[in-house]
Amino acid sequence: MARISVVLGAVIVILCTSFASARMYFLPDYQNGAYLKRVNDKLHADRPVFTPDLRSCADYFGFLSVVDKGNMDCSIVKTFPHTGTCYSGCVCNSETYPYTSANCEHELKGGTCTDTTGKIHYERCYNPCEGLVDNDCGSYRCKTTYSSVGCDDFCKECYLNSCDYPENADFPLKADCEYGCDVQGTVEGCNSKCYNCKICIPQDCSAYPLSKCPENTICESCVVGCNDNATHYVALGCEINYFDIDAYWCSECGGGCNKGYYDPQSYWCNAFCG
């Protein structure tokens, strides 16, 4: 009966028989390497695809293939038999993947690279506000921002007049007020708008039928107002020394009074003068 023990660096073969004492033999290193190759081949044989003559860089602890390496910069480059070139000590290329959450205050985008510490590096640090025109509104407020792209702090369009502010939108234009602004006057900061239009109540001049006051007549006047500035009159009587010869017309008295009439006072006739 034979028993085989494996020791690093060498293979020790112990032979035991019933009629001989056990003996120990040391295999040379080149035979030891061949043995380990057979063991490794057995591991590959357990995989779905058996490639006994092809090694993977992953079979060598800490090494990456050229595909897994990608654009990373590696400090250790080694060529293995049956495998080719493998890489270790790899970090992401700082020119291709310059951004991480530590140096980008905006949105990380583009291709990624994960270094050996597990940190993800990105190709781009995307700032959606970069290149946008931020309008200077001067004395007026900003009307619209670039909110649709997440840049609320950048003004896209300014108000050109404080009268256009939302809080002033419903106030009437002074030009549209038929009788002007009421006692509150114009809106603060906006002379073209009124808080309220003035409401005009016209005068009732229906008892003033004359469009002018007749000569030598004492009249009372009335103005309708509310954009009607015409004066209307009503006759109250004649001036002194004049009498009413017809409706609202006065003429000078002279030569005394007709028969049957008398002069109640100087120059004033009680009825019709002759």
Side-chain angles (χ1 to χ4, degrees):
M1 176 179 181
R3 183 179 62 190
I4 300 176
S5 299
V6 179
V7 180
L8 292 177
V11 177
I12 302 174
V13 179
I14 302 175
L15 300 175
C16 299
T17 64
S18 59
F19 56 88
S21 60
R23 294 183 181 182
M24 182 181 296
Y25 295 91
F26 290 90
L27 297 178
D29 286 343
Y30 72 90
Q31 292 181 345
N32 179 36
Y35 172 76
L36 292 179
K37 179 179 183 301
R38 289 195 299 274
V39 171
N40 199 25
D41 288 344
K42 177 64 172 63
L43 293 176
H44 279 277
D46 293 336
R47 296 174 183 174
V49 178
F50 178 46
T51 54
D53 296 325
L54 179 64
R55 300 290 181 270
S56 167
C57 289
D59 292 332
Y60 303 98
F61 179 76
F63 282 91
L64 301 174
S65 68
V66 65
V67 175
D68 295 329
K69 166 188 173 293
N71 288 330
M72 286 195 288
D73 298 324
C74 302
S75 58
I76 301 174
V77 180
K78 190 170 182 180
T79 301
F80 293 96
H82 310 292
T83 303
T85 304
C86 297
Y87 305 85
S88 184
C90 301
V91 294
C92 296
N93 183 276
S94 59
E95 292 184 1
T96 306
Y97 303 98
Y99 299 106
T100 66
S101 57
N103 63 359
C104 177
E105 298 178 356
H106 304 288
E107 185 179 0
L108 292 164
K109 281 196 172 186
T112 61
C113 169
T114 304
D115 64 18
T116 53
T117 67
K119 182 179 289 186
I120 302 176
H121 299 252
Y122 292 81
E123 287 181 323
R124 290 190 299 141
C125 178
Y126 176 66
N127 179 2
C129 305
E130 187 175 350
L132 296 179
V133 177
D134 189 11
N135 287 304
D136 181 7
C137 297
S139 302
Y140 302 109
R141 301 202 308 245
C142 181
K143 186 175 183 180
T144 57
T145 66
Y146 294 93
S147 57
S148 61
V149 292
C151 302
D152 293 336
D153 294 335
F154 281 73
C155 184
K156 185 176 182 180
E157 182 183 6
C158 300
Y159 282 104
L160 301 179
N161 194 312
S162 59
C163 299
D164 297 328
Y165 290 166
E167 63 269 27
N168 295 335
D170 295 332
F171 288 121
L173 286 171
K174 183 178 180 181
D176 294 336
C177 292
E178 186 177 2
Y179 307 114
C181 299
D182 66 2
V183 292
Q184 289 180 288
T186 56
V187 175
E188 183 178 358
C190 175
N191 291 328
S192 65
K193 288 191 173 184
C194 294
Y195 286 106
N196 292 288
C197 292
K198 184 185 293 183
I199 298 175
C200 184
I201 301 175
Q203 293 289 331
D204 182 9
C205 294
S206 60
Y208 298 79
L210 301 177
S211 60
K212 66 177 182 178
C213 183
E215 189 178 0
N216 306 318
T217 303
I218 298 172
C219 298
E220 185 178 282
S221 63
C222 175
V223 178
V224 175
C226 301
N227 293 335
D228 183 356
N229 296 319
T231 304
H232 302 264
Y233 301 90
V234 62
L236 299 180
C238 298
E239 293 180 354
I240 194 169
N241 298 330
Y242 292 87
F243 73 105
D244 185 356
I245 60 172
D246 200 356
Y248 310 118
W249 286 96
C250 295
S251 182
E252 185 177 6
C253 295
C257 295
N258 287 338
K259 187 177 181 180
Y261 293 90
Y262 68 98
D263 186 354
Q265 64 183 41
S266 178
Y267 309 116
W268 195 249
C269 297
N270 190 34
F272 291 99
C273 296

